[in-house]
Amino acid sequence: MAGRASRIVVVSNRVAVPDPARRAQAGGLAVAVNAALKERGGIWFGWSGTITPTPSDHPVVTTQKRMTYAVIDLKEDDYQEYYNGFANRVLWPILHYRVDLAEFAQADLSGYIRVNRNFADHLAKIIGPDDVLWIHDYHMMPLAQYLRERGHRNRIGFFLHIPMPPPDLIQALPKHGEIVGALAYYDLVGFQTEQDKENFARYLDTRGGQSSADGRSYDVGGRRVKLGAFPVAIETAAFARRARHASRSQFVKRFKESLSGRKLIVGVDRLDYSKGIPNRLEAYERFLRNAEDWHDKVAYVQITPKSRTEVPEYAEMDRFVSRKAGQINGLYSDVSWTPLRYVNRTYSRSALAGIYRAAGVAMVTPLRDGMNLVAKEFVAAQDPEDPGVLLLSQFAGAAHELSAGALIVNPHDLDGMAEALRRALEMPLPERSDRYRRMMSVLEANDIDRWAKRFLAELTDDRALPAMSLPP
Ligand code: G6P
C-alpha cells in the first residue's frame, strides 16, 4: 500500500493559499507545512479563512506548481463554536497547561465535532485509497475517527504543533476521550518533544493502552497507534540566506538608522497569553531599573500581531500588554530615547529575517510553547561573524534542542530574566560564537526537509504497522 509514490494530502485549519489578498499567516504551522510540501507537491486541504452564510458544497481549488490547495468556507456558528469556542477557548488553554482559562460549553464541543465531520465529508470526495493523509494540529483531533467510520483505510498521521500536557490536565477536558482519545484512530501521532510524547503515552495508559515491547506503539481499543517525537524545524539554509539579503534592504537600513547605534533586543510573538509577554515586559522593566548604565544604549522592539481578538482572554491580554508597554515608556523614556517599541503589526518573513540579524538579543520567553520557530529563525538569521544571543524559556519545545547554545530562562523568575538579559547584552564575542555554532549545528542537522521526511517515512513504514491498524 502506502509506498514512496503515494500522494500526500495535508489537512490543517489554516491553509497558506498563495494569494496576496488573503490574511497573512501568523503561525508556525503554515510556514512548516508549506516548506515541507513545496518540493514534494500534494494536496493541502482546510479552511479558507472566510465565513459565509452558505458555504459551497465544493472546495475552492487553486493549483500552483506541484501543489493543489483546496479550501472550504465556514458558517458563522461553525467559526464561533469550532474555532473561537472549542479549539481556542478550550483545547488551546488546556494543552498549554492553562486549565484555569478554559471555558467549556457543550455547544462549542458540538460545533467542533460537526465541523470535523464536515471536513471528513469533503475529504471523502477528494482522497483515493492510496493517498497518505497528514493531519495537523488541535483543530482536527477526531478527523481520523470520522474518516475510519466512513470506511477509509488510508494511512493517516497526525502531528500536534502545540504541547501535550500530563494526563491529569487532559482529564480536565470534559469528554476528553472523544477528542484526545480519538487520536488512537491515527496510525502515527507525532509530537514536538519526547516529553509531549511521554505525556500522551501516560494518558493512553489511563485508557487501558498496552505499550509494545519496543515502546514505539500502543494497542488501545483494538487499534495500534505509533507515537513519535518530531521536533518541527525551519528551512535553515534558506532562512540564513534570506536574512543576509534582507540586511541590505532599504527597510532594514532605515530600521537600523532609527536605532542610532543602540543595541537591539527583539521579541516576536502573536499576542497570546501562552507567549509570556507580560512577564517579559516586567523583566525588562526590572532590567531598566537596575541597569542604569544601559539607559539610552538599548532598544527593545516587541513585534506582536494581534491574534484571535474575538476570544475574551485575548482581548484582555491586549489591554494589559498595551498598558504595561505605556507604563514602561512613561517611566524610562526621555525626549531622545524610547526604551520599548511595541508594534501590533505583521511583517513579511524577509523583514523579520533582517530584524533578527540586526538584533543583539532575542527574548523568546513563552510560559508554554509547542516548539517556537521564532527561536530557530532568530539563530539561523545571525551573522556568523557577530552573532546575537538567544534568551529562551525552559518551557518552549525549542529548549529541548537549543539548550547548549541559548541562555535558558524561567519566565516566572523575573529577576533571573533581567539578569540573563544583562548577561546576553554583555556577552563577549567568543562565547556568542561558540553558542551560535552549537545551535546552528542542531538546526542544520534537523531542517524542515528532514522533519517532513522523517515523519512521512515513519508513517509509510509498512513493517511497523501490521494489519491491526485497520478500523476496529
Ligand atoms: C499556532 C498553532 C497553529 C495556528 C497558529 C496561528 O502556531 O499551532 O495551528 O494556525 O498558531 O493561530 P490562528 O488561530 O490564527 O490560526
Side-chain angles (χ1 to χ4, degrees), residues 85-153:
F86 195 73
N88 286 329
R89 281 196 96 182
V90 181
L91 288 178
W92 179 272
I94 291 180
L95 296 181
H96 284 86
Y97 295 63
R98 293 299 302 271
V99 175
D100 59 312
L101 293 182
E103 290 288 338
F104 179 81
Q106 182 59 44
D108 292 343
L109 172 62
S110 304
Y112 180 86
I113 291 172
R114 184 177 68 244
V115 170
N116 269 277
R117 287 195 187 281
N118 183 32
F119 276 129
D121 289 337
H122 276 283
L123 275 168
K125 292 183 221 152
I126 295 175
I127 56 178
D130 290 335
D131 287 346
V132 170
L133 274 67
W134 189 1
I135 318 296
H136 289 259
D137 233 356
Y138 60 103
H139 313 88
M140 309 276 176
M141 285 183 167
L143 194 51
Q145 179 185 348
Y146 304 156
L147 287 164
R148 302 278 184 231
E149 285 168 3
R150 284 163 180 70
H152 296 281
R153 296 177 169 224

Side-chain angles (χ1 to χ4, degrees), residues 87 102 125 220 272 307 357 412:
K125 292 183 221 152
V220 55
D272 193 301
S307 177
R357 196 175 172 95
H412 302 284

Side-chain angles (χ1 to χ4, degrees), residues 14 23 27-29 83 88 92 137 139 161-162 270 308:
R14 295 245 183 232
R23 180 186 173 287
L29 179 150
Y83 174 79
N88 286 329
W92 179 272
D137 233 356
H139 313 88
H161 289 254
I162 67 174
R270 280 184 312 101
R308 306 177 191 166

Side-chain angles (χ1 to χ4, degrees), residues 154-172:
N154 302 59
R155 210 41 84 78
I156 314 181
F158 179 87
F159 183 76
L160 184 67
H161 289 254
I162 67 174
M164 177 58 78
D168 269 5
L169 296 187
I170 304 172
Q171 284 159 349

